[in-house]
Every structure is written in structure tokens, then in C-alpha cells.
Amino acid sequence: MPSINMELVQYSELFMLIAGFIYTGAFMLFAVDMIRSSATIRRVEAELAAENAAERELVGAGAVSGGSAAADSDPGRPAAAPAEELVDEEMAYLGTSRPFANVAVALAVLGVAAHAFAVAARGIAANRVPWANMYEFLATGALVVAAVYLLVLTRKDVRFLGTFALGLVVTMMAAATMGFPTPVAHVQPALQSPWIAIHVSLAVLAISLFTLTFAMNVLQLIQHRRELSQAAGETTRRSGWQFLRLVPSATSLENWAYRMNAVGFVFWTLGPLITGAIWAEEAWGRYWGWDVKEVWTFVIWTVYAGYLHARATRGWTGNRAAWLSIIGYGCIIFNYAVVNVYFPGLHSYAGLPE
């Protein structure tokens, strides 16, 4: 069996740490952008409201006539700015530039580059795929979540999702480092199979999409509450964060989450379920044995299948669909954070000492 390259291991750990700091910086900048955007929108609306009130007073006092006040105040500016949302249903941002968010995106790209080197270096050092234990699975999963987010960003303006997506990435990396610290080592014989590359990579892709849809579903619930407040006649300032005007409507978030969940469901079906069964037959001589990890893999598949079916054919839309998707993601967290660690079985590969 080839030896482990400890020099590459050290580089991997160093770049993993660097990537973590970069992601944290990007997360903080996305949060600053969210706060500044809220403050800017609030200030502009207050200024417009004050100007419109002053113009109405002038018109009421007879100081102007025939609409000349609007023309005299600023010929190039509309008399009133409607309180419209700042992103359309296709997630195209309609407002001014957001420098903090743009710098955060650039940092995220740099973080993904450092993170990819760290993951690749660990795999090369061990002469195997770098996802054979919970530390590696979480580290690789965080990389894929960040990469998928940036990939989506090239097609849709999802900067509004940056705080949530990068926050989850940082959480996954912190959980890997503090919760599942595992030295680089060769894997046990059951994992020495080509199926590990297919089985686990498809699972990581599925979970990365489910992670992003989880963030979108949480935002959907918050946006829905704000929209109900507005429909009830409350002012924008009283009905939630001003930042939510940079977020698509609850219906748009739901539609995009549904599409991404459908793709993630295909990956989960092909990965943990189908290739997992094929690998189990090769390793243990049976396709299905009701091992606790196999049971929870099927539970997750059932929840998301129920979500897709209910959303497509039974009219489960709005908050009900969002909560069902969130429950599915909760099952994923339970599967990897609890089942992998505390439930003995054939899939006990967390990498933690006994």
C-alpha cells in the first residue's frame, strides 16, 4: 500500500484553514451588504417621502400650479418613486451597484480555489478520493456548496443568498474541523472500491443543492410573512427587513427551490440509493439489509419524493411546500450528524476514535 505524503497533508490543512478564513470574510461582507442595503433603502424612501410631502404642501398652499413643482425641483427625476421590489422574478437585480456584495463574491471565488487545492491535496496525499470519513465528507461538501452557489451566480443574481449560503459553508467547515477531526489514513477494505467515487460524489452534489434550497426555503418563509404584512396595509419599515426588497418574491423563491430540489432528488436517487445498493451487493452480498444508514437514506428519499409529488400534483404550494423541504434537509442533518456518529452499523465511517 503506498505511503501517505505528509508534506501534502500539511499543505492541505494549511489551505483548508486559509479557505475557512476567506469564506468567513466573504460571509461578513455579505452580511454588511445586507445591513447597508437595508439602511440605504430606508434612507432613500424617507427622503422621497419627505420630498413628496413638501411638494403636496406647496401644491395645497397654491405656491405652484399645473405640476410645475415637480418640474422645478429636478427635471431629470420622477415626481414619485414607487416602492417596487429591487429584483425581478427571474432574479435579475434592478438596483444600483453593491460593492460589498461584489467583493464578497470575489472572496468566495478565491476561497473556492484555496478550498479545492486543500481537498485535492488531501486526496493525492492519501492516494484515494478525499471523502472517506465525516471530516472529508463535510470539507468536500462545503466546497461543492460554495462552487454550486458561484455557478448559479453566473446565471442568476443570487447575491441576496450569499449570507445564508456562505454561512452554511462556514458552519460545515467548522463542524468538520472541530467535530470530526480525522488524520489522513488509508481506508478500510469495504471502502476500497471504485464505487466510492460515484456513490459519494453524487451524494455530495445532492446535498449541496439541498443546502441551497434549504436557505431559499427559509428566505421564502420570511418573505411570505413580509408580503402578508404588506397586504394587510403595514408600511415597508414595519413589515420586515428592507433587505427583503432585494430578495425575489416568496413565489419565485419557491419555484426556484422546487427546480433545484428536483435536480438534487435525481442525484440522491442515483447516488445514495441506486449506486449504494450496487456497492452493498459487491461488498456484503446483498442490495439492501435495513442497516440504520440505509434506512435513513430511504427516509430522506421518501420525504423529498413526497415533497416533489405534493408540489406537482396535490397543490402543496407556499409555506407547506417550504416546510416539507426543510424537514427533508433536517433528515439529512440527522443522518450525517447523528446516525453516522451514534448509531452502530455497517456504515460507521465517521472517522472518530472509538
Side-chain angles (χ1 to χ4, degrees):
M1 187 172 289
S3 61
I4 294 174
N5 188 328
M6 296 308 299
E7 183 178 1
L8 265 182
V9 171
Q10 293 176 352
Y11 277 116
S12 172
E13 293 174 350
L14 173 62
F15 275 83
M16 195 73 74
L17 182 64
I18 291 172
F21 279 118
I22 295 174
Y23 285 141
T24 303
F27 164 75
M28 294 175 66
L29 284 174
F30 273 123
V32 169
D33 170 72
M34 183 173 67
I35 295 170
R36 284 177 59 89
S37 297
S38 298
T40 300
I41 295 170
R42 186 177 295 111
R43 184 180 68 253
V44 170
E45 286 190 340
E47 292 174 354
L48 288 173
E51 290 179 9
N52 291 337
E55 290 176 2
R56 286 195 297 270
E57 289 179 3
L58 289 173
V59 172
V64 293
S65 62
S68 60
D72 293 339
S73 61
D74 189 350
R77 184 176 184 174
E84 61 185 3
E85 307 305 329
L86 301 180
V87 62
D88 64 18
E89 295 302 304
E90 292 299 318
M91 298 187 184
Y93 183 65
L94 308 175
T96 57
S97 62
R98 294 162 59 188
F100 283 93
N102 294 337
V103 174
V105 171
L107 277 180
V109 173
L110 186 61
V112 166
H115 196 171
F117 175 83
V119 170
R122 188 177 177 99
I124 294 171
N127 294 286
R128 57 171 173 77
V129 291
W131 47 70
N133 51 61
M134 279 299 295
Y135 170 85
E136 295 174 355
F137 184 86
L138 282 170
T140 305
L143 170 62
V144 177
V145 170
V148 169
Y149 170 72
L150 292 176
L151 182 63
V152 174
L153 194 59
T154 63
R155 304 297 300 272
K156 298 294 178 183
D157 193 346
V158 290
R159 285 178 293 176
F160 68 88
L161 203 60
T163 306
F164 301 88
L166 269 295
L168 290 169
V169 167
V170 172
T171 300
M172 292 172 71
M173 295 192 71
T177 303
M178 295 184 287
F180 303 96
T182 308
V184 178
H186 296 298
V187 297
Q188 54 185 283
L191 295 180
Q192 295 174 8
S193 167
W195 284 109
I196 189 174
I198 303 171
H199 173 73
V200 182
S201 60
L202 288 172
V204 169
L205 283 171
I207 292 174
S208 68
L209 290 172
F210 291 148
T211 299
L212 292 177
T213 57
F214 166 75
M216 296 179 78
N217 287 136
V218 171
L219 270 177
Q220 174 192 336
L221 294 175
I222 299 172
Q223 186 71 293
H224 177 72
R225 183 174 181 180
R226 169 178 173 265
E227 291 170 355
L228 288 179
S229 299
Q230 287 184 316
E234 296 183 17
T235 62
T236 305
R237 281 186 292 277
R238 290 179 57 194
S239 59
W241 298 334
Q242 292 287 344
F243 171 75
L244 289 174
R245 287 186 57 198
L246 300 174
V247 177
S249 67
T251 301
S252 180
L253 287 170
E254 178 188 352
N255 290 336
W256 282 101
Y258 171 70
R259 298 174 192 176
M260 293 174 68
N261 272 333
V263 178
F265 179 75
V266 172
F267 286 143
W268 189 262
T269 302
L270 294 175
L273 214 61
I274 295 178
T275 63
I278 296 172
W279 189 8
E281 197 280 332
E282 179 185 283
W284 303 312
R286 87 293 188 279
Y287 290 99
W288 190 266
W290 296 104
D291 181 72
V292 63
K293 188 67 180 292
E294 295 172 343
V295 170
W296 274 95
T297 296
F298 182 69
V299 168
I300 294 166
W301 184 88
T302 302
V303 172
Y304 278 103
Y307 159 82
L308 293 172
H309 177 74
R311 175 66 171 69
T313 64
R314 305 295 297 176
W316 271 48
T317 58
N319 287 0
R320 290 195 300 178
W323 277 114
L324 192 53
S325 176
I326 290 171
I327 290 171
Y329 191 73
C331 292
I332 290 174
I333 298 299
F334 182 82
N335 185 33
Y336 286 94
V338 178
V339 172
N340 269 19
V341 178
Y342 299 107
F343 287 75
L346 294 173
H347 292 77
S348 299
Y349 303 137
L352 297 176
E354 299 294 338

